[in-house]
Amino acid sequence: MKNPNGENKKIKILWLSGISCYGNIHSFFNYPHMEVFLEDFEFIYHPVLDSTFSLKEIVNETKECNILLIDGAISDDFHRADVNIKDIINRYATSVNRIVTVGTCATFGGIFKYSDFQSPRGLHFCGDELQTDFLHLRNKTISISGCPIQPEVLVNTLYEIKNQTDIKLDTFLRPKEYYAYTVHNGCTRNEYFEYKVDGHKFGELEGCLFYDHGCQAPYTAGSCNKILWNEQNSKTRSGSPCFGCTEYTFPKMSLYDTKKNMGIPQNLPLGVPKRAYLTIAGVTKAFSIQRLEKKLIDD
Amino acid sequence: MEKKVTKKEQIIQAALELFAYKGFYSTTIPDIASSLKMSVGNMYNYFKSKDILAKEIIKYISIYLGNELKKINEEQISTKEKTKKIVTMYFNIASSRPEMIDYFLRVYLSNREVFKDGCEGMACVSEFVTEIMIFFEEGVQKGELKEQDFFSAFGLFMGYLGGMVFLNGEKILPNELTYYIDDISNNIYNALKK
């Protein structure tokens, strides 16, 4: 977007924090190309970054803004600068082009849906239950779930909004480009999963973390293993199970536990029938593949 | 094509009976061929070796038993009732087609060297074991069976059934197999229930 003088016109963003731990803000600060981003986007308000207006100015007057980012859960009794968060959202909702829920709390209620606030939830969902009070905003909302958000997914989506790209969304309003995959897709441990070689210790390079360590990757929508964190790594690559943080089920209880019935995982990878899974698992478990039993690097 | 499949099944059935009763090593391909009035050369058109035939037979039995188990698994009845139906089904097969269970006990379990390549682990009995797994998993999920290691439960269930069929085959049991269905079903269920 350029103004008549040919200068790049910055997209104006309001970052509004609801009930938040600021984890998404920390994560966003790890975006590796922030200088470039800030040449194209301007925060009219951000809770931590220097911005054009103060919170008081934002909540009492409607400032010009293109995109409203909502970070954190919302609640009927949560206020920012003495103004109810729902009123602030409604104040900006009609004038902005797009609303983006940043993180799992703003999308599904996340960890704060268990808090003492009055009816804490995401903008459109509480868990997987559709909420009705902001139904009229559904068509302009995009959800970037994650605890915290993957900064590249947020920034890329903001650029797609800027470029007026047609963004295809899933049923939870998440961009399919990033959420049509499961975290299992791209996991460097896939071969261990296929041949049922289980990991026994956290932090090791070898073994699958699904059977014994509660790894949620086969049923979690996300690009963690395709777009690496800090351009370096992912939970599963570094030896920690996926926590399922992009899903409405987050936070899962008994994080490192795989619920099993008579040794058989209760929840099977998305779309895999139990009979087929057991047949394949039974057969592959019989193999003894030395290459997969050994340490990859250190003996 | 269909004729060839039928012939294959006839060979499997004839070999199954001979292996089960005479033993794997005492049965030769010419024995099987002559029981079917086939030439030995023609036999090899269907199965390239006795070992391959032995593996095909165990797969055939596994699919047969797996299908019977699947029908029971898909019924909307309690785990206790399913347990009794599985015991009944197993004993009925042991009575009507004793060669099937005998083959499993006397050939498959006793001649492991024959099955070591190509039938590793559960590879040749997966249909049957999968259905047993589903029976257990659903029983635990419904809160009817207690959570425990799969093989502890599997060994208890199949060891008991196999043991009874073995005793029956040795003519040690004073009564017909069906006489024991109620007691055995209750014993298994009581041992596995929550």
Side-chain angles (χ1 to χ4, degrees):
Chain A
M1 227 183 271
K2 293 193 172 175
N3 66 21
N5 301 327
E7 292 163 340
N8 199 14
K9 192 183 171 199
K10 289 188 180 183
I11 301 292
K12 293 178 190 299
I13 305 176
L14 165 55
W15 183 302
L16 178 66
S17 283
I19 310 163
S20 165
C21 69
Y22 281 27
N24 292 315
I25 290 174
H26 278 270
S27 185
F28 174 62
F29 284 170
N30 281 314
Y31 179 64
H33 312 291
M34 191 63 91
E35 298 87 349
V36 179
F37 174 75
L38 290 174
E39 282 171 15
D40 294 322
F41 294 87
E42 170 196 343
F43 284 104
I44 64 161
Y45 173 74
H46 187 284
V48 177
L49 286 172
D50 281 345
S51 44
T52 323
F53 301 107
S54 70
L55 180 63
K56 271 204 164 160
E57 288 172 313
I58 288 298
V59 301
N60 291 318
E61 305 157 39
T62 309
K63 303 292 184 187
E64 190 197 341
C65 179
N66 305 111
I67 302 170
L68 171 62
L69 301 187
I70 301 170
D71 154 48
I74 59 169
S75 148
D76 293 348
D77 65 350
F78 188 77
H79 293 72
R80 279 282 176 217
D82 295 328
V83 179
N84 188 291
I85 188 129
K86 293 175 72 173
D87 293 338
I88 307 171
I89 293 169
N90 278 324
R91 175 192 290 274
Y92 283 91
T94 46
S95 63
V96 296
N97 301 326
R98 283 288 201 176
I99 299 167
V100 179
T101 60
V102 179
T104 298
C105 294
T107 304
F108 299 118
I111 203 154
F112 291 110
K113 67 175 176 277
Y114 301 115
S115 68
D116 291 334
F117 286 96
Q118 198 182 318
S119 55
R121 62 191 182 277
L123 184 69
H124 295 299
F125 303 97
C126 183
D128 62 343
E129 277 176 37
L130 182 65
Q131 305 296 296
T132 51
D133 41 358
F134 289 111
L135 218 49
H136 58 293
L137 304 181
R138 255 180 85 96
N139 288 342
K140 46 168 83 171
T141 305
I142 297 173
S143 305
I144 306 294
S145 60
C147 185
I149 43 115
Q150 158 59 282
E152 287 191 53
V153 172
L154 174 63
V155 168
N156 292 355
T157 304
L158 293 175
Y159 270 104
E160 283 165 15
I161 294 171
K162 178 178 184 286
N163 296 333
Q164 297 181 312
T165 306
D166 177 22
I167 305 173
K168 303 243 180 316
L169 304 177
D170 70 10
T171 49
F172 292 119
L173 311 174
R174 300 175 297 190
K176 286 187 175 180
E177 189 179 349
Y178 308 109
Y179 294 89
Y181 308 97
T182 63
V183 174
H184 185 58
N185 193 325
C187 177
T188 48
R189 294 164 191 269
N190 277 352
E191 209 176 5
Y192 295 101
F193 175 84
E194 285 159 21
Y195 290 105
K196 304 293 157 215
V197 178
D198 301 322
H200 299 293
K201 279 186 195 158
F202 296 122
E204 291 194 327
L205 294 174
E206 306 83 5
C208 173
L209 302 159
F210 170 68
Y211 188 77
D212 266 341
H213 292 94
C215 185
Q216 301 288 296
Y219 17 76
T220 297
S223 298
C224 291
N225 278 310
K226 296 169 84 73
I227 302 174
L228 298 177
W229 289 77
N230 301 332
E231 300 182 323
Q232 297 288 323
N233 215 342
S234 71
K235 282 195 187 69
T236 58
R237 288 183 182 206
S238 64
S240 166
C242 165
F243 300 163
C245 76
T246 55
E247 288 298 327
Y248 62 84
T249 46
F250 183 81
K252 172 183 174 269
M253 301 301 154
S254 308
L255 206 56
Y256 297 116
D257 182 49
T258 303
K259 170 72 182 144
K260 291 191 279 281
N261 299 321
M262 211 77 94
I264 296 153
Q266 181 165 303
N267 300 314
L268 295 176
L270 282 182
V272 179
K274 198 190 299 176
R275 229 167 227 113
Y277 175 84
L278 292 175
T279 302
I280 294 166
V283 171
T284 54
K285 228 176 161 53
F287 298 132
S288 176
I289 302 169
Q290 281 210 336
R291 181 171 54 82
L292 298 179
E293 310 281 340
K294 288 197 302 196
K295 284 273 182 194
L296 286 172
I297 298 172
D298 302 318
D299 291 328
Chain B
M1 187 66 186
E2 201 172 299
K3 195 180 168 198
K4 195 153 190 169
V5 172
T6 315
K7 199 75 192 163
K8 239 180 161 172
E9 279 184 10
Q10 282 175 359
I11 296 169
I12 285 177
Q13 185 57 37
L16 171 53
E17 288 174 25
L18 287 169
F19 286 150
Y21 301 133
K22 284 179 68 175
F24 179 73
Y25 289 108
S26 308
T27 304
T28 62
I29 289 278
D31 290 341
I32 302 164
S34 80
S35 80
L36 286 161
K37 297 187 172 51
M38 272 176 84
S39 72
V40 174
N42 196 16
M43 267 286 296
Y44 283 110
N45 287 332
Y46 293 94
F47 296 99
K48 298 282 175 225
S49 73
K50 204 166 88 169
D51 280 13
I52 290 173
L53 180 53
K55 287 169 204 163
E56 288 299 316
I57 293 172
I58 195 65
K59 284 184 201 166
Y60 170 79
I61 294 170
S62 169
I63 292 167
Y64 183 88
L65 289 175
N67 281 338
E68 295 300 310
L69 268 176
K70 189 177 173 196
K71 285 181 213 159
I72 297 169
N73 273 339
E74 286 175 348
E75 286 188 49
Q76 300 300 312
I77 52 176
S78 70
T79 306
K80 189 176 183 183
E81 289 169 291
K82 279 186 187 176
T83 307
K84 187 174 174 183
K85 285 205 166 193
I86 293 171
V87 174
T88 307
M89 177 271 287
Y90 196 85
F91 283 177
N92 282 341
I93 291 172
S95 302
S96 62
R97 298 189 68 180
E99 71 282 1
M100 277 208 173
I101 310 295
D102 275 346
Y103 184 89
F104 186 80
L105 296 173
R106 292 168 200 270
V107 179
Y108 180 69
L109 294 182
S110 313
N111 300 285
R112 299 300 303 138
E113 66 283 1
V114 178
F115 300 93
K116 71 177 190 313
D117 292 326
C119 279
E120 291 89 348
M122 295 174 184
C124 290
V125 289
S126 66
E127 285 84 359
F128 174 71
V129 178
T130 294
E131 293 302 328
I132 289 282
M133 282 178 162
I134 288 172
F135 164 75
F136 284 146
E137 199 273 337
E138 289 177 351
V140 177
Q141 206 174 130
K142 284 196 280 185
E144 293 172 310
L145 299 183
K146 69 175 170 237
E147 166 65 7
Q148 61 173 295
D149 175 77
F150 167 74
F151 285 101
S152 309
F154 183 68
L156 177 122
F157 204 131
M158 298 317 301
Y160 198 174
L161 295 188
M164 289 302 286
V165 172
F166 184 83
L167 292 176
N168 185 55
E170 296 296 309
K171 309 209 182 312
I172 292 170
L173 294 181
N175 295 298
E176 294 284 313
L177 268 176
T178 48
Y179 171 86
Y180 302 96
I181 287 174
D182 279 342
D183 280 351
I184 289 173
S185 307
N186 285 333
N187 286 350
I188 291 174
Y189 184 72
N190 287 336
L192 297 175
K193 75 177 181 188
K194 200 166 182 181

